Amino acid sequence: MSMSLTEPTTDADPRRWLALGLIAIAQLMVVLDASIVNIALPSAQRSLGISDANRQWVITAYALAFGGLLLLGGRIADFIGRKRAFVIGLVGFGVASAIGGIAQNQGELFAARGLQGAFAALMAPAALSLITITFTEPRERAKAFAVYGGISGGGAALGLILGGVLTEYASWRWTLLVNTPIAIATAVGGFLVVRESRAEGKPHYDIPGVITSTLGLVALVYGFTKANESGWSAGSTVTLLIAAVVLLAAFMVIESRTAEPLLPPRVFSERNRAGAFLVSLLIGLALFGMFLFLVYYLQGTLRYSAVKSGLAFLPFSAGIVVAAAAASNLLPRIGPRPLMAGGTAAAAVGMALFTQIGLHASYASHVLPAEIVMSLGMGFAFVALSSTALIGVDARDAGVASALVNTTQQVGGSLGTALLNTIAATATAHYLTDHGPRAAATGVVHGYTVAFTWGLGALILATVLSIVLVSKQRQAAAPGSSDTSSTTEPTAFEQAEVLDGIR
């Protein structure tokens, strides 16, 4: 489907740099919210009495909603207007953050996190689309994307520090509440400053596809959670897993038959792109799981404060920045396969080092080396992934293909967090059965290392897929990168820059 963008004027917007500042603040909140809550999770779990089986929902509810609704959010923003979607997304995100901040039980917190993810899925595509529309001069647009990419990269590290400071000196609740006044103020500014633009034509939304895919993923995650509580052979677990398979199969059938699919099957027909999406899914599984258990290891086992544990993750952020910058220069010369395969292999080595942590290990001897090696590998892999996702794709599918890199990483992360949390809890329970309750502390760390081992397996598989599926040839730049005539083009900018922004 081909549609044109309706722009208010071809003249440069005199308030375009102020608009960029507002858009950058919105993106900062989206990026911050992923890392800031990780550091606060142990405190939130104690405060609300969340079980070990259910703690992963604080992360997976946000990731599932964000990743699962991102494609629909971009389509909605195109048709209702990017400015309108941006403002609605900001207000909704702020309200959802407030609900989470005052939550009195785990159900309210999980629901609030899901709402945050849903509104972020509307806000994020609109934000980058607005940059594409607002900055029409190539040099200015490049500067705007550089600012946006820097915010995307630095936001994660800032979230780790801010999450620690707020949790330690105020309350874990402020890691959510802090979003509300900022989001509302930014929404007001966006309403007053940002220009509107929308796609022409009759809107088409693949609602059956959204429903079946989202419910299927939720059933799968909930099935993993029930396996932790009741066992893999329990009727509730089996029922949920069967429902997940049926719903996801229905989603694939719907996508193959609908005229305007949410996820066109043709996007997966090219081997390189299919490999990139699978590797992204596996990286998300390993990366999200690593963050979850390392936070608990630092705070629970090594007795780090929230601030200290946030600072302990900074070398990981720095490693990604350094490696991604180097990869950007290497990619045109050597192609994506060496970067993707080498990056995932290095990440696997880092994860292997994490499996060696123990009750009396130290940060300097065990955690820091693993962080550095894994982060360098992730930085190389991320750049290759975001590039490969757009190689040879039709202009009409550019937005979907690029968005899928982020979507698969979020979905992989939500599934991996739930699955690895169940695996860790089961391993700890078996350890305590064999060694008695006096070995509780050692048993908990044993559960972490078992989860890290499964994450290692995912990264090894990602390395194999990178070698087998991704071409070794150098690739040309993705087509249509500067064309603003496609409905999905702004979303392509958005997702590529979100990933590449960690450079």
Side-chain angles (χ1 to χ4, degrees):
M1 179 174 60
S2 177
M3 280 167 284
S4 61
L5 299 179
T6 301
E7 299 183 31
T9 177
T10 57
D11 296 332
D13 185 350
R15 296 183 295 182
R16 60 191 180 279
W17 295 108
L18 179 57
L20 175 63
L22 295 170
I23 293 169
I25 292 172
Q27 173 63 8
L28 180 61
M29 284 191 297
V30 173
V31 176
L32 270 176
D33 222 60
S35 56
I36 195 172
V37 174
N38 270 322
I39 299 299
L41 185 53
S43 297
Q45 182 180 1
R46 291 191 298 269
S47 174
L48 298 181
I50 303 174
S51 68
D52 286 347
N54 287 331
R55 66 188 177 189
Q56 48 85 19
W57 281 107
V58 178
I59 298 172
T60 56
Y62 180 87
L64 267 180
F66 183 50
L69 299 176
L70 190 60
L71 296 175
L72 177 65
R75 181 64 62 88
I76 291 174
D78 285 334
F79 285 110
I80 71 170
R82 285 97 182 190
K83 171 182 173 178
R84 181 181 297 179
F86 180 67
V87 172
I88 292 173
L90 276 167
V91 173
F93 192 86
V95 172
S97 298
I99 294 173
I102 63 175
Q104 299 302 304
N105 56 62
Q106 61 180 11
E108 293 177 6
L109 179 59
F110 300 158
R113 289 287 287 163
L115 279 175
Q116 278 187 308
F119 283 110
L122 179 63
M123 175 173 56
L128 255 295
S129 299
L130 287 170
I131 290 184
T132 304
I133 298 301
T134 303
F135 293 90
T136 57
E137 198 276 321
R139 185 172 299 178
E140 286 194 347
R141 179 182 288 180
K143 291 180 180 178
F145 279 128
V147 170
Y148 193 91
I151 290 291
S152 299
L158 179 60
L160 294 170
I161 299 174
L162 186 59
V165 171
L166 291 174
T167 300
E168 186 165 343
Y169 297 111
S171 166
W172 66 268
R173 296 181 180 277
W174 279 101
T175 62
L176 296 169
L177 291 173
V178 70
N179 289 322
T180 303
I182 299 174
I184 300 301
T186 305
V188 172
F191 179 79
L192 296 174
V193 172
V194 176
R195 286 181 174 180
E196 183 61 284
S197 70
R198 59 171 54 86
E200 295 179 343
K202 184 179 179 180
H204 295 277
Y205 303 117
D206 180 16
I207 301 302
V210 173
I211 293 174
T212 51
S213 62
T214 303
L215 290 181
L217 291 171
V218 170
L220 191 57
V221 170
Y222 195 33
F224 293 155
T225 304
K226 292 299 290 184
N228 187 2
E229 299 174 347
S230 307
W232 288 100
S233 60
S236 57
T237 303
V238 174
T239 300
L240 284 166
L241 295 179
I242 291 175
V245 172
V246 171
L247 286 165
L248 293 175
F251 169 69
M252 289 188 287
V253 172
I254 290 170
E255 297 308 282
S256 66
R257 296 183 178 181
T258 186
E260 296 291 340
L262 183 72
L263 186 60
R266 61 180 177 269
V267 174
F268 294 91
S269 62
E270 204 274 327
R271 190 181 72 178
N272 288 278
R273 283 199 304 277
F277 298 146
L278 289 172
V279 171
S280 178
L281 188 79
L282 292 168
I283 284 179
L285 185 153
L287 184 61
F288 278 53
M290 183 277 292
F291 267 99
L292 174 67
F293 297 113
L294 191 55
V295 166
Y296 275 90
Y297 177 72
L298 291 173
Q299 295 189 29
T301 302
L302 298 186
R303 302 298 179 186
Y304 277 24
S305 66
V307 172
K308 190 175 181 180
S309 61
L311 293 173
F313 276 102
L314 290 184
F316 192 90
S317 298
I320 289 180
V321 171
V322 171
S328 298
N329 295 322
L330 290 172
L331 183 62
R333 296 199 292 268
I334 66 176
R337 184 203 275 182
L339 293 176
M340 201 180 301
T344 52
V349 172
M351 188 68 85
L353 294 176
F354 276 126
T355 66
Q356 303 305 306
I357 63 171
L359 191 60
H360 303 293
S362 71
Y363 174 81
S365 63
H366 289 76
V367 177
L368 181 59
E371 280 190 4
I372 292 174
V373 175
M374 187 174 182
S375 64
L376 291 174
M378 289 291 186
F380 283 111
F382 282 155
V383 172
L385 280 173
S386 58
S387 172
T388 304
L390 288 176
I391 295 302
V393 69
D394 292 338
R396 59 177 173 167
D397 294 326
V400 171
S402 185
L404 273 173
V405 177
N406 202 13
T407 298
T408 50
Q409 187 178 334
Q410 293 289 330
V411 170
S414 59
L415 296 176
T417 300
L419 178 60
L420 295 180
N421 189 59
T422 294
I423 290 172
T426 302
T428 295
H430 288 165
Y431 190 92
L432 296 181
T433 300
D434 295 338
H435 297 84
R438 291 186 176 181
T442 304
V444 169
V445 176
H446 172 72
Y448 299 160
T449 59
V450 171
F452 288 143
T453 301
W454 281 77
L456 169 62
L459 291 173
I460 291 174
L461 179 57
T463 303
V464 173
L465 292 175
S466 298
I467 295 172
V468 172
L469 296 179
V470 178
S471 172
K472 64 182 179 180
Q473 283 83 20
R474 295 190 299 273
Q475 304 281 7
S481 60
S482 62
D483 180 17
T484 60
S485 64
S486 169
T487 298
T488 52
E489 174 64 14
T491 307
F493 272 116
E494 187 269 325
Q495 297 307 328
E497 289 299 322
V498 165
L499 268 174
D500 289 344
I502 46 183
R503 283 186 243 184

